[in-house]
Every structure is written in structure tokens, then in C-alpha cells.
């Protein structure tokens, strides 16, 4: 077995920490902070892509192309484990690209006074939590990553100091504090049941105990507790109610970052922990139907909201929720193909949702409103033709019309979903696709193609007089994500191949367990530590004795 150890993984966590701390004493020097933040996210993106490339060259069947780093050289399950496989690598690369482009946009859009309110340190610390969530190999550090991410997001929620922001932020804070409390309780119960929080060790133990029919009493309830935490983070029905009220109140660059990245952290946690641990034994029979119903209702109710609202920010927030439903549907089916579709769609959704939020910001700058009922005929303005093209590409990518980037992921998920067990959810996904197209055409048609509104209805009484040029950083940030979306759609093969490997690793998690627990670098140490005559490995000490062993003793 080749050695999967790669200590460069820590760079994806260390870079935003160092850069965020550097920005703290420099908040009154915004130009310097801007350079530091852009360097931080560009470096993280490049490191993620390079590591993904190394995974491809490593792809032997024994490791499954998985890299592991043990902090302080403490072997799992005792030390802090970072794991980089195709799924976490895709999430890291997508999130870093979104952070880079939304920060570029923020440089041109955020007022200088707001930027000095620790915007750059907070964004770096937010990405620290996001990156650690994608990399960590144990539940305790997943909780720590969530808390770092949430503390930074609380600061960014109120950074503008607007009344609407402060009014809506309390829902976000209260719901996430509730989720954090449940997370701590569930993690404590997990440790009480198994004596470990390392995900690979939990996967090994639950597989062994399930095979013997000896999973602890309450294991299914434990899975439901984690399901509550992660679905709330992801914005799954009915726990998404805080999202459409909160995101539209944020400065648009922050809304783009939140919309692109944060819900994907919850979805990633569901895909990682439930494929590895919490569907063992009879728990799957309880949890899978809950997730399937949640996916269908998230898609359907979300698209109804997108059709009902006239505020573009709220429409985009509801379309974000629809995307959460599609991703969750791919995870629920839990086949190699469906997980490939979910991995591809989650990365695509990160990029596209952030892009359309930034485009919404450009429309607001041009028209002074996000109400599509007060816009019209924007394509008649030469300065706005490029913006119209960007919004058109972004909306069609969300809907998933071929050959846009959303098509590949949705096609794979729906194809896998039209099975006997999930055909109702699959048909719902097809119906929601049609309704999403209606919602997208309504937004684009009303704002760019439809007739010009009465001048009396426009904010300043003059519909086009206030149209102005966009700052270069805003245009570069928005176009960067749109071009990335086009590349995902028209040159999909590399991403599809990587997502396929991610689906294989999630569907067959034994490679993950082997890479973490049977790492050859630490295996020698484990053997050396074992007492003479011990027949059990170091990792078997957590396993409960079988009934035969208990009777023997």
C-alpha cells in the first residue's frame, strides 16, 4: 500500500488563519487587507487544484486516491485527522474560487466604512471554518469548524449595521445556536456509545457491530439528531425558513458568498457522515425516507416561492433552496452514480448561485432596485447588454438546460432517481425543473426583455438616467464566476471524472477507513506500542466484546 500521508493539507487551513490574523491590525489599511485576502483565497484555490491533480496520479485501488495528515504525528483515532479525497477537494476548490470572486466584487461594492469593520478578517475566518469542515476527519473538529464558521458569519451578518440585517439576523443566530447545542449533545452521545469521534473509526465500528447485530440502543435516534443539525445548516425543508429572510438583507457580495458556500457545508456533512456511519443497521430504514421526503418538499416548496416573489434577491434565495433539494436527492439515493451527480451539482451550484447574486448586485447598481416589477427593457441600454448575457447564462445554468453547467448534475441525479424506490421524488424533480425554467424566464424577461416600467414607478422617477459604469473589480468578480460556470458546462469531463471518483469513495467508504486507520506510516508505531501477546490491534480496543467473548469470560 502506498503512503497516503501528505502534510501539505494543513496549508488549506493555515493560510486563511494566518491571513485573517494579519488583517486584524491592518483594518484601517483596506488596500493592504484586500491584497492579503485575495492572495489567501487564490493560494487556497491553487493548493486545492494541485492536490486534486495529485489524487489523480495516486488513484490506486488500495488507497482510492485519499490523502491523510495526522497533526503532531499522532495516529488516528487519537490525533487530529485531516482527510483530502475527491469530494473534499472539489468542495475546497469551489469554495475558494467563490471566496476569491466575491471578495473581488466586495472591493468595488462595499462602502469603505463597512470594509473597515473587520470584513477581511471575518471572511478569512469564515473560510477557515468552511475549509476545516471539508477536511476534518472527526466529529469534534467538525463541530469546532462549524463554530468558527458561525462566529465569523454572525459578524458578517451585521457588518452593514442596517435595520433589516439586525432584525433578520436573530433568526439565523437563534437557529444556529440551537443546532450547535444539539450537535454537542449528539457528539457526546456518540462518544458515550463508541468511545471515539473519529469518523473512520466510527465507520469501522458501526460496520462491524451492524454485521453482528449489536449496534447500541439509540443509534437510530443519534442519526436523527445529526440529521437535524446538518439539514438546518443545509437549508432543507422545513428548517430553511430563516434563509429567505436573512440572505436578502446582506450586502450583495456577502449574500453571494453565503449563498454559494454555506448550505454546501451542511450537504457535505450529510454526504460524508451518513455514507460512512449513520445509515448502518436499521437506521437507514428510518433516515432514508425522511431525507427523501425532505428533498422532494425542499425542491417543490422552494420553486413555488421563486415563482411567488418579485424581489430578485428573494427569488434567488428560493432557487438556492431548490438546488439544496436536488443535491440532497442525489445524496439520498446513495448509489455511486447519484453521489457523482450530487458532487458535480454541489460544485456547480456553488459557482452559479454566487454568480447570480453578484449579477443581482450589478442590476441593483444600475436600476436602484431588485424588484423585477419595477424594471424592464434593460437590454435597450448598451451598457447593460453584457449584464443581460451574464444573467441569462446564470439563470439557465441554475435551471440546468443543456449545455449549461447545471445540466450534467441534474441529469445524473434524476436518471439515478427514477427507480422503483425513488420514482415519486424523481418525477417531482422533473416537475420542479419545468417550474424553475418558468421562474428564471420571468426574472430575465421582466427585467431585460419586457417593456420599460412607468417612470413614476422607478425609484428616482427616471428609469435609465442613473445607469452608470460598474467598477472593474465588480465586473471581474461576476464574470470570473460566469466563465467558470461556462467551463464547467462545456468542458465537463475532468470535473465529471473527479466527481465520479468522489461518488465511488462515498458509496464504498472502506477506502476512507483504510487510508485513515491503516496508514503504513503509523502502523509500525501501533505495532510497537502493542503489548507482547496482544492479538488485537490498537484500533480494536474500542470495539465492544462480542456475546461469545462475554460468555467466555
Amino acid at each position: 500500500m502506498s503512503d497516503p500521508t501528505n502534510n501539505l493539507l494543513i496549508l488549506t487551513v493555515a493560510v486563511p488563519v494566518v491571513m485573517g490574523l494579519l488583517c486584524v491590525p491592518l483594518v484601517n489599511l483596506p488596500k493592504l487587507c484586500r491584497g492579503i485576502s485575495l492572495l489567501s483565497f487564490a493560494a487556497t484555490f491553487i493548493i486545492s487544484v494541485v492536490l486534486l491533480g495529485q489524487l489523480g496520479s495516486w488513484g490506486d485501488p488500495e488507497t482510492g486516491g485519499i490523502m491523510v495528515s495526522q497533526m503532531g504525528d499522532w495516529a488516528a483515532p487519537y490525533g487530529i485527522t485531516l482527510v483530502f479525497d475527491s469530494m473534499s477537494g472539489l468542495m475546497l476548490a469551489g469554495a475558494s474560487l467563490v471566496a476569491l470572486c466575491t471578495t473581488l466584487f466586495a472591493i468595488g461594492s462595499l462602502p469603505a466604512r463597512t470594509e473597515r469593520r473587520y470584513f477581511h478578517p471575518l471572511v478569512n475566518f469564515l473560510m477557515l471554518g468552511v475549509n476545516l469542515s471539508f477536511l476534518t476527519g472527526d466529529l469534534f473538529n467538525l463541530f469546532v469548524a462549524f463554530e468558527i464558521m458561525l462566529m465569523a458569519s454572525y459578524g458578517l451578518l451585521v457588518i452593514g449595521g442596517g435595520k433589516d440585517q439586525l432584525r433578520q439576523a436573530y433568526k439565523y443566530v437563534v437557529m444556529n445556536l440551537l443546532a450547535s447545542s444539539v450537535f454537542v449533545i449528539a457528539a457526546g452521545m456518540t462518544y458515550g456509545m463508541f468511545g471515539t469521534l473519529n469518523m473512520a473509526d466510527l465507520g469501522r465500528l458501526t460496520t462491524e457491530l451492524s454485521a453482528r447485530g449489536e449496534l447500541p440502543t439509540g443509534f437510530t435516534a443519534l442519526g436523527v439528531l445529526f440529521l437535524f443539525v446538518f439539514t438546518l445548516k443545509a437549508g432543507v425543508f422545513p428548517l430553511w425558513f430563516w434563509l429567505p429572510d436573512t440572505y436578502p438583507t446582506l450586502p450583495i457580495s456577502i449574500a453571494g458568498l453565503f449563498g454559494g458556500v454555506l448550505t454546501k457545508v451542511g450537504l457535505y456533512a450529510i454526504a460524508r457522515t451518513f455514507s460512512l456511519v449513520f445509515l448502518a443497521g436499521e437506521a437507514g430504514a428510518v433516515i432514508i425516507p425522511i431525507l427523501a421526503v425532505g428533498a422532494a418538499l425542499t425542491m417543490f416548496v422552494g420553486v413555488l416561492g421563486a415563482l411567488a416573489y418579485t424581489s430578485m434577491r428573494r427569488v434567488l434565495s428560493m432557487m438556492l433552496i431548490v438546488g439544496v433539494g436536488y443535491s440532497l436527492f442525489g445524496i439520498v439515493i446513495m448509489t455511486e452514480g447519484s453521489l457523482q451527480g450530487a458532487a458535480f451539482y454541489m460544485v456547480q451550484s456553488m459557482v452559479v448561485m454566487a454568480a447570480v447574486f453578484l449579477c443581482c448586485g450589478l442590476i441593483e447598481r444600475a436600476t436602484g432596485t431588485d424588484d423585477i416589477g419595477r424594471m424592464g427593457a434593460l437590454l435597450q441600454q448598451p451598457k447593460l447588454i453584457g449584464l443581460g448575457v451574464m444573467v441569462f447564462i446564470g439563470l439557465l445554468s441554475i435551471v440546468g438546460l443543456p449545455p449549461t453547467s447545471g445540466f450534467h448534475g441534474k441529469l445524473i441525479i434524476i436518471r439515478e432517481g427514477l427507480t422503483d424506490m425513488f420514482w415519486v421524488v424523481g418525477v417531482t424533480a422533473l416537475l420542479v425543473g419545468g417550474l424553475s425554467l418558468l421562474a428564471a424566464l420571468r426574472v430575465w424577461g421582466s427585467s431585460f426583455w419586457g417593456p420599460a416600467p412607468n417612470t413614476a414607478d422607478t425609484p428616482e422617477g427616471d428609469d435609465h438616467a442613473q445607469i452608470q459604469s460598474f467598477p472593474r473589480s465588480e465586473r471581474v468578480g461576476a464574470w470570473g464566476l460566469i466563465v467558470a460556470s461556462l467551463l464547467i458546462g462545456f468542458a465537463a469531463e475532468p470535473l465529471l471524472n473527479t466527481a465520479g471518483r468522489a461518488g465511488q469513495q462515498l458509496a464504498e467508504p472502506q477506502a476512507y477507513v483504510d487510508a485513515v486507520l491503516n496508514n503504513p506510516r503509523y502502523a509500525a508505531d501501533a505495532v510497537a506500542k502493542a503489548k507482547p501477546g496482544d492479538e488485537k490491534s490498537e484500533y480494536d480496543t474500542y470495539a465492544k466484546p462480542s456475546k461469545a467473548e462475554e460468555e467466555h469470560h
Side-chain angles (χ1 to χ4, degrees):
M1 179 186 292
S2 59
D3 184 359
T5 303
N6 190 331
N7 290 325
L8 291 179
L9 302 185
I10 192 62
L11 287 178
T12 58
V13 179
V15 168
V17 174
V18 173
M19 296 303 188
L21 291 174
L22 271 178
C23 287
V24 170
L26 302 175
V27 287
N28 289 319
L29 300 172
K31 288 184 179 178
L32 197 53
C33 285
R34 292 168 187 171
I36 291 172
S37 290
L38 294 178
L39 179 63
S40 170
F41 304 137
T44 313
F45 174 70
I46 292 170
I47 293 169
S48 305
V49 172
V50 169
L51 291 176
L52 275 172
Q54 291 184 5
L55 279 186
S57 64
W58 279 24
D60 65 71
E62 290 183 275
T63 64
I66 296 172
M67 297 177 184
V68 179
S69 180
Q70 298 290 154
M71 298 297 97
D73 274 352
W74 281 82
Y78 306 110
I80 296 173
T81 306
L82 299 182
V83 187
F84 185 97
D85 61 0
S86 297
M87 185 68 179
S88 55
L90 285 174
M91 296 293 105
L92 268 176
S96 301
L97 179 64
V98 168
L100 177 65
C101 291
T102 52
T103 301
L104 261 175
F105 193 95
I107 290 171
S109 63
L110 277 184
R113 189 168 64 92
T114 304
E115 197 176 354
R116 288 192 178 96
R117 289 178 175 172
Y118 296 92
F119 169 77
H120 293 286
L122 288 171
V123 171
N124 274 283
F125 294 142
L126 179 81
M127 293 310 297
L128 160 65
V130 170
N131 294 353
L132 185 58
S133 298
F134 292 145
L135 281 178
T136 184
D138 68 76
L139 290 174
F140 177 76
N141 284 303
L142 182 61
F143 170 75
V144 172
F146 275 15
E147 291 309 296
I148 294 171
M149 183 175 66
L150 289 173
M151 293 301 288
S153 66
Y154 296 157
L156 289 169
L157 270 174
V158 298
I159 196 170
K163 289 183 181 177
D164 284 344
Q165 278 183 262
L166 298 174
R167 188 180 302 117
Q168 300 299 338
Y170 82 94
K171 292 182 186 175
Y172 181 90
V173 173
V174 169
M175 290 305 298
N176 281 286
L177 285 176
L178 175 63
S180 297
S181 303
V182 175
F183 198 159
V184 169
I185 293 169
M189 290 172 62
T190 305
Y191 193 81
M193 287 182 184
F194 299 102
T196 180
L197 291 176
N198 183 284
M199 293 183 203
D201 209 25
L202 285 169
R204 182 187 66 84
L205 285 171
T206 51
T207 301
E208 291 175 0
L209 295 174
S210 175
R212 299 201 298 260
E214 296 175 358
L215 279 170
T217 304
F219 178 73
T220 302
L222 185 66
V224 172
L225 286 179
F226 278 108
L227 191 64
F228 170 81
V229 175
F230 298 148
T231 52
L232 191 149
K233 306 284 185 190
V236 176
F237 181 88
L239 300 173
W240 53 260
F241 61 89
W242 51 272
L243 194 153
D245 290 334
T246 305
Y247 284 13
T249 65
L250 297 170
I252 200 67
S253 56
I254 299 174
L257 179 61
F258 279 27
V261 173
L262 293 193
T263 55
K264 307 305 180 297
V265 177
L267 288 168
Y268 170 83
I270 295 172
R272 174 66 67 198
T273 59
F274 281 82
S275 64
L276 192 58
V277 180
F278 296 114
L279 293 182
E282 297 176 355
V286 175
I287 290 171
I288 289 292
I290 295 174
L291 284 174
V293 172
L297 290 175
T298 303
M299 286 186 279
F300 189 68
V301 178
V303 80
L304 292 182
L307 287 168
Y309 285 122
T310 59
S311 161
M312 189 178 290
R313 288 185 180 224
R314 286 186 176 272
V315 172
L316 296 180
S317 297
M318 299 309 294
M319 295 183 96
L320 168 65
I321 289 170
V322 174
V324 169
Y326 276 105
S327 303
L328 185 63
F329 183 32
I331 295 169
V332 169
I333 302 166
M334 207 54 82
T335 63
E336 184 178 326
S338 72
L339 291 167
Q340 176 194 24
F344 185 96
Y345 186 78
M346 285 163 67
V347 177
Q348 181 270 344
S349 179
M350 266 189 195
V351 173
V352 172
M353 287 312 307
V356 291
F357 269 106
L358 298 189
C359 290
C360 177
L362 295 177
I363 292 173
E364 290 177 14
R365 180 184 283 278
T367 64
T369 180
D370 76 325
D371 189 341
I372 58 176
R374 301 169 70 185
M375 304 177 201
L378 295 182
L379 278 185
Q380 294 178 12
Q381 304 300 312
K383 288 182 179 178
L384 301 183
I385 292 176
L387 177 58
V389 173
M390 276 199 293
V391 176
F392 189 72
I393 294 171
L395 290 174
L396 290 190
S397 299
I398 292 174
V399 173
L401 282 186
T404 59
S405 57
F407 171 71
H408 307 286
K410 280 190 176 181
L411 175 66
I412 296 171
I413 292 170
I414 293 174
R415 186 187 63 198
E416 293 286 321
L418 290 175
T419 60
D420 289 343
M421 185 174 178
F422 296 104
W423 72 268
V424 173
V425 189
V427 171
T428 304
L430 287 172
L431 173 64
V432 169
L435 294 175
S436 298
L437 179 61
L438 285 179
L441 292 177
R442 185 175 73 100
V443 169
W444 195 82
S446 299
S447 53
F448 286 93
W449 192 259
N454 294 327
T455 54
D457 293 336
T458 57
E460 302 298 333
D462 184 350
D463 52 349
H464 297 312
Q466 53 185 311
I467 291 177
Q468 51 187 298
S469 297
F470 304 119
R472 180 181 298 175
S473 62
E474 290 188 4
R475 283 185 280 126
V476 172
W479 268 113
L481 290 173
I482 290 293
V483 170
S485 171
L486 287 173
L487 287 175
I488 292 172
F490 287 93
E493 188 172 354
L495 185 57
L496 275 173
N497 290 339
T498 310
R501 180 175 296 164
Q504 181 188 22
Q505 290 168 343
L506 289 171
E508 300 171 6
Q510 187 58 45
Y512 182 99
V513 175
D514 288 341
V516 174
L517 295 184
N518 299 325
N519 188 323
R521 169 176 291 196
Y522 303 107
D525 292 342
V527 170
K529 290 174 184 175
K531 295 178 182 177
D534 275 356
E535 295 181 357
K536 290 183 176 181
S537 73
E538 188 174 14
Y539 308 118
D540 288 333
T541 55
Y542 287 118
K544 292 183 177 179
S546 65
K547 288 181 178 177
E549 288 174 328
E550 288 177 341
E551 289 171 358
H552 173 74
H553 287 296

